[in-house]
């Protein structure tokens, strides 16, 4: 197996975990970690016996793959630099600040036959993977993703910070296009919405109600799916799944409930390993750049409706 040379660009809270995962994988050499904060780069490099780098351009010709976990505003320029230079890229969510930037990255990746994966880690959550085969003909989805406020991620609004996780999941499950979006959002601790709720109608007839907050007192990551004869609830935080199904008995329709809990696993390790496997196998990424663009396009429609509603009021 050919050794993949990897690096992580931006080793703040999330980037240092990416470095940890690359260092743990067989057949991968963590060549360097890069950060403009020199002390941070040195600390993370020392933890994984690798080289600290302070300018990403120093890595030209030295790496096969990178994870970009810098601030969202830097994603586009960093990802474009590496794609133009023939390097496969895993970019954290949201992949870019705008969908147009995301489309440009996918064009470069496709033209250069490179893997471009987006870090929608919830796709690798064991709770979702265990429940996914039970989902068909989905008619209604309800999501709540709530978290206490943290400075990390606050460079973008809550739709791009938190809600986009669920937007990606909804799009991957439904496989249909949104036709109508209605949303409301309110700034609480920042200048952009910190809590938002959206109703999305799809051309399949399915409807999704999605709520995200980063000013809650307790964390919650729940995803509920309704389709004919079934109700499925996934608690991403606790790794618990509940399935309620309609059954037929001698007395008529009845409900059967199943519950199961899963070991939480390591979704980030699975994500990074999937990226490396896609490079080696020359196969599509589990969460492609095109997927990332679709989620951004819906996010932008939600943000636009929030802004329009705010202007009207």
């Amino acid at each position: 197996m050919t050794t993949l040379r990897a690096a992580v660009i931006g080793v703040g809270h999330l980037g240092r975990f990416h470095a940890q995962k690359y260092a743990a994988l067989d057949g991968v050499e963590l060549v360097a970690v890069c950060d403009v904060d020199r002390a941070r780069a040195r600390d993370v490099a020392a933890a994984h016996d690798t080289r600290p780098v302070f300018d990403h351009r120093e890595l030209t010709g030295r790496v096969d793959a990178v994870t970009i976990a810098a601030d969202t505003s830097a994603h586009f320029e960093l990802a474009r630099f590496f794609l133009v230079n023939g390097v496969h890229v895993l970019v954290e969510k949201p992949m870019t600040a705008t969908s147009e930037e995301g489309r440009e990255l996918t064009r470069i990746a496709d033209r250069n036959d490179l893997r471009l994966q987006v870090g929608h880690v919830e796709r690798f959550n064991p709770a979702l993977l265990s429940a996914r085969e039970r989902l068909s003909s989905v008619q209604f989805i309800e999501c709540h993703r709530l978290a206490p406020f943290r400075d990390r991620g606050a460079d973008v609004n809550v739709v791009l910070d938190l809600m986009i996780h669920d937007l990606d999941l909804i799009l991957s499950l439904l496989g249909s296009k949104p036709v109508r979006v209605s949303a409301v959002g309110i700034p609480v601790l920042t200048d952009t919405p910190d809590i938002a709720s959206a109703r999305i109608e799809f051309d399949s007839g399915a409807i999704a109600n999605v709520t995200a907050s980063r000013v809650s007192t307790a964390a919650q990551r729940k995803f509920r799916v309704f389709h004919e004869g079934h109700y499925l609830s996934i608690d991403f935080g606790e790794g618990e799944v509940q399935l309620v199904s309609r059954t037929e008995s001698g007395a008529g329709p009845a409900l059967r409930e199943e519950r199961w809990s899963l070991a939480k696993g390591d979704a980030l390790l699975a994500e990074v390993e999937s990226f490396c496997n896609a490079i080696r196998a020359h196969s599509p990424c589990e969460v492609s750049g095109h997927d990332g663009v679709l989620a951004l396009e819906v996010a932008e429609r939600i943000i636009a409706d929030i802004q329009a509603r705010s202007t009207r009021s």
Side-chain angles (χ1 to χ4, degrees), residues 100-280:
E100 181 49 46
E101 289 179 343
R103 282 188 288 272
E104 176 62 17
L105 294 185
T106 61
R107 285 192 287 266
I108 298 170
D110 291 346
R111 184 168 64 240
N112 294 340
D113 195 21
L114 295 167
R115 307 285 81 76
L116 172 60
Q117 180 163 316
V118 183
H120 287 295
V121 70
E122 217 72 280
R123 292 266 205 113
F124 299 88
N125 191 300
L128 176 72
L129 295 175
S130 75
R132 190 159 193 153
E133 63 188 35
R134 313 254 190 144
L135 302 176
S136 62
S137 303
V138 175
Q139 296 167 321
F140 179 65
I141 297 175
E142 184 178 48
C143 315
H144 289 86
R145 186 171 295 263
L146 316 177
F149 184 79
R150 300 182 181 88
D151 288 334
R152 173 172 49 88
D155 58 319
V156 294
N157 62 56
V158 73
V159 178
L160 295 176
D161 181 19
L162 296 181
M163 186 183 286
I164 200 162
H165 279 297
D166 293 313
L167 298 179
D168 171 70
L169 290 179
I170 290 165
L171 290 167
S172 72
L173 289 175
L174 294 180
S176 60
K177 296 180 180 179
V179 292
R180 276 181 292 277
V181 170
S182 177
V184 62
I186 301 170
V188 179
L189 295 177
T190 71
D191 294 332
T192 62
D194 295 309
I195 181 168
S197 183
R199 175 184 171 90
I200 311 166
E201 299 179 42
F202 292 84
D203 58 7
S204 65
I207 294 173
N209 286 344
V210 194
T211 298
S213 168
R214 59 186 180 194
V215 288
S216 298
T217 56
Q220 182 183 123
R221 292 155 56 202
K222 291 191 175 180
F223 196 89
R224 302 173 179 91
V225 182
F226 300 80
H227 51 107
E228 189 173 353
H230 299 281
Y231 158 69
L232 184 72
S233 174
I234 305 171
D235 187 327
F236 286 122
E238 299 299 323
E240 295 180 349
V241 183
Q242 175 193 21
L243 176 66
V244 178
S245 305
R246 184 181 65 196
T247 61
E248 296 296 332
S249 66
L255 295 177
R256 182 184 69 226
E257 181 180 2
E258 301 173 62
R259 290 178 179 267
W260 62 96
S261 295
L262 300 162
K264 289 188 179 180
D266 192 332
L268 184 60
L269 178 63
E271 175 185 86
V272 173
E273 186 172 27
S274 174
F275 173 55
C276 294
N277 289 342
I279 295 170
R280 292 195 181 97

Side-chain angles (χ1 to χ4, degrees), residues 7-144:
V8 178
I9 316 301
V11 286
H13 175 80
L14 191 54
R16 63 183 62 219
F17 286 112
H18 277 273
Q20 180 188 83
K21 305 314 173 188
Y22 280 122
L25 286 174
D26 292 334
V28 177
E29 178 189 0
L30 181 62
V31 171
V33 296
C34 177
D35 204 290
V36 294
D37 185 322
R38 292 175 176 246
R40 181 189 295 161
R42 290 191 185 101
D43 287 347
V44 177
H48 300 294
D49 194 24
T50 192
R51 177 187 172 201
V53 170
F54 316 118
D55 184 337
H56 63 278
R57 292 169 293 189
E58 294 181 35
L59 296 171
T60 304
R62 298 181 179 180
V63 292
D64 305 303
V66 296
T67 282
I68 294 171
D71 289 344
T72 299
S73 60
H75 283 187
F76 175 68
E77 292 297 340
L78 289 170
R80 182 171 64 176
F81 173 84
F82 285 104
L83 290 170
V84 166
N85 283 280
V87 178
H88 304 281
V89 170
L90 193 170
V91 58
E92 264 302 334
K93 64 82 202 167
M95 66 180 295
T96 47
T98 68
S99 61
E100 181 49 46
E101 289 179 343
R103 282 188 288 272
E104 176 62 17
L105 294 185
T106 61
R107 285 192 287 266
I108 298 170
D110 291 346
R111 184 168 64 240
N112 294 340
D113 195 21
L114 295 167
R115 307 285 81 76
L116 172 60
Q117 180 163 316
V118 183
H120 287 295
V121 70
E122 217 72 280
R123 292 266 205 113
F124 299 88
N125 191 300
L128 176 72
L129 295 175
S130 75
R132 190 159 193 153
E133 63 188 35
R134 313 254 190 144
L135 302 176
S136 62
S137 303
V138 175
Q139 296 167 321
F140 179 65
I141 297 175
E142 184 178 48
C143 315
H144 289 86

